[in-house]
């Protein structure tokens, strides 16, 4: 018999008995814990927990489970969420003219490696509309001219947010979307937008960062996936990785290696998000892998 499964995530001030009270609550409500992870941060004095469980008592409905856990959470001042483990989160991908991350995420989605529904692809260029069509995903071309006015940018971002709302998007992925989001846009997408960038920032800004890195003779290149905030490329970091390079490699080789790392790092971050493994801890993250 198949039972409903849920993922509970929570954070609160670290205190005695949190695991006992949460596990006891689940046991008292006919739930069986499948896996559990927790972490107490001595610096922030916060406690974080992720519990994957099945609900095996048919008399306990999800609404009742939520309502009764809310009462427990209030007594401990918890920030918490309860997710249906079988529900696939809905994604919107944003891209400009460099498509390696987009292509990688689409392949992972189509092959079942990424348990999501990709509901829309948004771009300020038309380069990937045929790729979107090959996956039968709606493509939205929302151009934004170089040097566009503040009003034009606001209008374009309003259309992006309309797509987010119309499609009930859970996560926006900036898969090499080369436009800086306004503070208002970042606020609207707080905690549900992930960006990827090469790890040279702020050393190599602007065009062709891997060529700049080659000129400086770097020995490590890498990528960082992070939540989007109003502080450009400084949001809470979710995942990072590096690859070693050497003097014999041409700039194009560095670029190819760097793009491979970007794809892997972004895919990990997205997968962990949709599996509800990421909890915010101030300007940092807790990731239960």
């Amino acid at each position: 018999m198949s039972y409903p499964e849920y993922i509970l995530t929570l954070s609160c001030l670290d205190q005695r008995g949190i695991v006992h009270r949460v596990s006891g609550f689940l046991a008292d409500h006919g739930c069986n814990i499948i896996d559990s992870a927790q972490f107490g941060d001595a610096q922030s004095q916060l406690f974080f927990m992720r519990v994957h469980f099945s609900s095996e008592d048919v008399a306990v409905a999800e609404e009742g489970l939520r309502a009764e856990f809310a009462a427990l959470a209030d007594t401990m001042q918890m920030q918490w969420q309860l997710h249906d483990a079988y529900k696939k989160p809905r994604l919107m991908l944003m891209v400009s003219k460099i498509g390696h991350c987009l292509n990688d995420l689409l392949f992972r989605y189509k092959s079942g490696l990424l348990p999501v529904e990709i509901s829309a692809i948004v771009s300020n260029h038309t380069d990937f509309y045929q790729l979107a069509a090959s996956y039968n995903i709606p493509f939205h071309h929302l151009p934004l001219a170089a040097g566009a006015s503040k009003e034009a940018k606001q209008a374009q971002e309003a259309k992006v947010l309309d797509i987010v709302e119309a499609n009930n998007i859970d996560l926006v992925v900036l898969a090499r979307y080369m436009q800086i989001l306004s503070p208002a846009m970042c606020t609207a997408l707080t905690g549900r937008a992930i960006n990827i960038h090469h790890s040279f920032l702020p050393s190599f800004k602007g065009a062709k960062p891997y060529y700049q890195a080659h000129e400086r003779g770097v020995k490590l290149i890498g990528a960082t996936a992070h939540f989007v905030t109003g502080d450009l490329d400084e949001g809470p970091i979710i995942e990072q990785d590096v690859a070693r390079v050497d003097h014999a490699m041409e700039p194009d080789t560095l670029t190819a290696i760097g793009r491979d790392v970007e794809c892997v790092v972004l895919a990990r971050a997205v997968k962990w998000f949709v599996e509800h493994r990421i909890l915010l801890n101030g300007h940092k993250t807790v990731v239960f892998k």
Side-chain angles (χ1 to χ4, degrees), residues 50 58 98 116 138 145 153 239 251:
R50 177 188 185 272
V58 295
I98 301 174
V116 300
K153 186 174 181 65
E239 173 64 339

Side-chain angles (χ1 to χ4, degrees), residues 75-245:
T75 66
M76 306 185 78
Q77 297 183 312
M78 290 179 179
Q79 300 288 329
W80 64 282
Q81 292 183 314
L82 183 65
H83 306 275
D84 182 343
Y86 292 134
K87 181 181 179 182
K88 293 183 178 181
R90 298 173 64 83
L91 268 59
M92 183 177 84
L93 308 182
M94 300 185 70
V95 65
S96 291
K97 295 176 72 69
I98 301 174
H100 56 285
C101 288
L102 173 68
N103 192 53
D104 180 76
L105 290 173
L106 289 173
F107 171 78
R108 292 173 189 268
Y109 152 72
K110 192 67 173 181
S111 60
L113 297 174
L114 198 57
V116 300
E117 294 293 343
I118 299 179
S119 303
I121 296 173
V122 171
S123 181
N124 54 326
H125 298 280
T126 58
D127 297 56
F128 299 111
Y129 78 94
Q130 288 182 324
L131 179 62
S134 71
Y135 284 91
N136 198 30
I137 298 173
F139 182 87
H140 303 269
H141 177 219
L142 301 179
L144 192 62
S149 67
K150 180 180 179 180
E151 292 73 21
K153 186 174 181 65
Q154 287 176 337
Q156 192 253 17
E157 289 188 342
K159 293 177 182 177
V160 173
L161 291 176
D162 285 344
I163 297 169
V164 169
E165 183 176 356
N167 289 276
N168 297 313
I169 297 299
D170 297 298
L171 177 66
V172 175
V173 182
L174 276 59
R176 294 304 301 271
Y177 180 67
M178 307 306 290
Q179 293 289 327
I180 297 174
L181 303 186
S182 70
M185 182 78 158
C186 292
T187 299
L189 297 175
T190 297
R192 54 182 182 137
I194 292 176
N195 188 28
I196 183 73
H197 67 71
H198 55 77
S199 289
F200 300 136
L201 291 175
S203 299
F204 305 114
K205 296 182 179 179
K208 295 188 174 182
Y210 291 101
Y211 280 71
Q212 298 178 52
H214 181 266
E215 288 296 317
R216 292 286 298 275
V218 301
K219 300 298 184 279
L220 287 173
I221 58 176
T224 297
H226 61 89
F227 281 113
V228 174
T229 67
D231 297 320
L232 181 62
D233 292 323
E234 295 185 10
I237 293 171
I238 301 169
E239 173 64 339
Q240 294 176 298
D241 207 346
V242 296
R244 183 165 290 279
V245 296

